[in-house]
Amino acid sequence: NYPLNETFTTLIPALAMGNTAVVKLPRYGSLCQIPLLHAFKECFPRGVVNIINGDGRDVAGPIMESGQVAALAFIGSSRAANILKKQHPMPNRLRCILGLDAKNPGIILPDADIDLAVRECVTGALSFNGQRCTALKILFVHRSIADAFVKRLSDAVDALPFGLPWEKGVRITPLPEPGAPDKMRSLVDDAVKKGASICNSNGGISNESFYFPAVVYPVTSDMQLYTVEQFGPVVPVAVFDNEHEVFDYIVSSNFGQQASIFGKDPKRVGPLIDVFANQVCRINLNAQCQRGPDVYPFTGRKDSAEGTLSVSDALRCFSIRSMVAATESDAGKELLREIIHERSSSFVNTDYLF
């Protein structure tokens, strides 16, 4: 997806707060990091930014087992994060900033603007081939508009231009992982065997690492696509008759990052917000799930995240507040004045004011 952004969204605040860092590069997309690695080498003292590469199980485990890691910033699966955390021998010394799994639902109410909802759901589900944690991973559509919505969604997906990433105007590209199309096929085949259909004409067509997005409908609770994060170009669509079915889904879900609500009636949207606000960390009204602007908190509940990222929150994640206190006496004040005047402490100083 976007490995450069995901690396530096945590590395930059870590360095800004005075930490040294060990960076394990992502499995895919490492080459785009090289220009910045040269810049780090030129700008920082030796040992401040340390780069390692290789299989995470082989290189990250021994580092965690050393007990010398004070903060773990990790973007990946909750399963891998749990393994890394357990490898640290002193868990109370470890602070974690984790961006993990998600199964973000989109809820399309009966009065939704269907054209708007389709447009946002196509972008929300399939930008970066659906390989981002903020993607819409399942759509719940009210039965009264389900057939019309699925027809327009399928037509819009089939119209997406595909090709190689550097070709102008391309929206769908091959997947970076060799086994990803097989995973998509497995999830779709499971749904089809249990009664769902691929609704768009090109859905599921594949060649080597390419997989054309499949709109799968109707998805039900006995299908893997109902609960499993696909992390790829598959758009599951489920039907609901009343909002309590959606409530039950989101409350019982193992994930809790974001949700999108499409509708105009405040009496229907409001109660959804009230339930979702205790289950996810961002509710998008008539818009796709997304990250940013970065002044907003980016986090999740359950198996979706630990810690919060935004410009200010990220700086807090990589620092622990410390203070120096003196009694309100002439001696105490004089001591602090002398420390500042003589610049005898790097911590107690006012140089940052100038």
Side-chain angles (χ1 to χ4, degrees):
N1 43 31
Y2 28 90
L4 190 72
N5 176 75
E6 299 294 24
T7 298
F8 292 98
T9 195
T10 51
L11 177 58
I12 289 175
L15 295 173
M17 298 311 290
N19 299 281
T20 57
V22 176
V23 182
K24 191 276 177 190
L25 295 178
R27 186 184 311 168
Y28 302 103
S30 295
L31 292 179
C32 65
Q33 318 273 345
I34 291 176
L36 285 168
L37 299 187
H38 289 305
F40 283 131
K41 181 180 179 182
E42 295 172 1
C43 296
F44 288 98
R46 183 180 179 87
V48 173
V49 181
N50 306 277
I51 306 297
I52 59 174
N53 209 346
D55 190 285
R57 289 170 293 186
D58 296 329
V59 299
I63 295 174
M64 293 299 293
E65 290 169 358
S66 73
Q68 296 184 44
V69 176
L72 169 65
F74 175 79
I75 296 173
S77 72
S78 57
R79 178 180 173 274
N82 291 339
I83 292 172
L84 287 169
K85 290 168 66 175
K86 288 178 181 178
Q87 289 174 325
H88 199 290
M90 291 169 281
N92 293 332
R93 294 188 181 185
L94 182 66
R95 175 177 294 196
C96 293
I97 307 95
L98 311 174
L100 307 173
D101 316 296
K103 187 76 173 177
N104 299 327
I107 292 79
I108 295 88
L109 297 171
D111 66 337
D113 180 331
I114 295 183
D115 289 334
L116 169 67
V118 166
R119 187 166 60 249
E120 289 292 312
C121 288
V122 168
T123 302
L126 295 174
S127 61
F128 295 95
N129 289 326
Q131 293 192 305
R132 58 189 181 107
C133 63
T134 52
L136 283 166
K137 304 283 173 57
I138 186 168
L139 305 177
F140 287 89
V141 186
H142 192 272
R143 190 177 300 277
S144 63
I145 62 168
D147 289 342
F149 176 85
V150 170
K151 175 66 168 62
R152 293 194 207 180
L153 178 68
S154 298
D155 290 344
V157 170
D158 271 346
L160 293 173
F162 60 91
L164 295 172
W166 50 85
E167 295 176 350
K168 187 176 180 180
V170 162
R171 296 280 299 277
I172 302 297
T173 67
L175 301 171
E177 311 95 323
D182 290 337
K183 179 184 176 183
M184 300 302 110
R185 275 191 292 270
S186 175
L187 291 169
V188 171
D189 288 348
D190 171 76
V192 169
K193 287 177 184 177
K194 295 173 180 175
S197 299
I198 300 174
C199 295
N200 58 315
S201 300
N202 296 330
I205 294 175
S206 63
N207 182 34
E208 299 295 337
S209 62
F210 178 80
Y211 187 91
F212 195 88
V215 177
V216 183
Y217 166 80
V219 170
T220 54
S221 59
D222 60 330
M223 301 173 187
Q224 294 181 53
L225 275 175
Y226 196 76
T227 54
V228 173
E229 180 187 17
Q230 63 271 36
F231 204 74
V234 174
V235 188
V237 182
V239 172
F240 74 94
D241 292 298
N242 64 74
E243 282 85 329
H244 287 285
E245 298 169 60
V246 179
F247 294 165
D248 291 342
Y249 177 86
I250 202 162
V251 169
S252 62
S253 173
N254 291 329
F255 312 115
Q257 190 199 77
Q258 298 190 32
S260 290
I261 304 171
F262 296 90
K264 303 172 186 174
D265 185 354
K267 293 182 179 179
R268 301 192 78 155
V269 174
L272 283 168
I273 291 174
D274 290 346
V275 173
F276 289 7
N278 293 307
Q279 300 297 323
V280 301
C281 290
R282 176 166 171 160
I283 303 160
N284 304 277
L285 302 181
N286 294 304
Q288 61 172 299
C289 294
Q290 56 198 292
R291 178 176 178 173
D294 280 339
V295 293
Y296 294 161
F298 180 65
T299 185
R301 302 172 187 262
K302 308 177 189 177
D303 282 341
S304 286
E306 184 175 338
T308 301
L309 290 175
S310 70
V311 173
S312 58
D313 288 308
L315 297 176
R316 292 292 187 201
C317 284
F318 293 101
S319 62
I320 298 175
R321 283 184 262 189
S322 297
M323 61 177 289
V324 175
T327 58
E328 194 174 5
S329 63
D330 290 341
K333 294 176 183 177
E334 180 61 24
L335 177 58
L336 285 175
R337 272 195 297 267
E338 288 299 314
I339 291 173
I340 293 171
H341 179 72
E342 296 179 9
R343 288 186 169 88
S344 58
S345 169
S346 297
F347 186 81
V348 180
N349 72 79
T350 57
D351 288 347
Y352 65 90
L353 296 175
F354 305 102

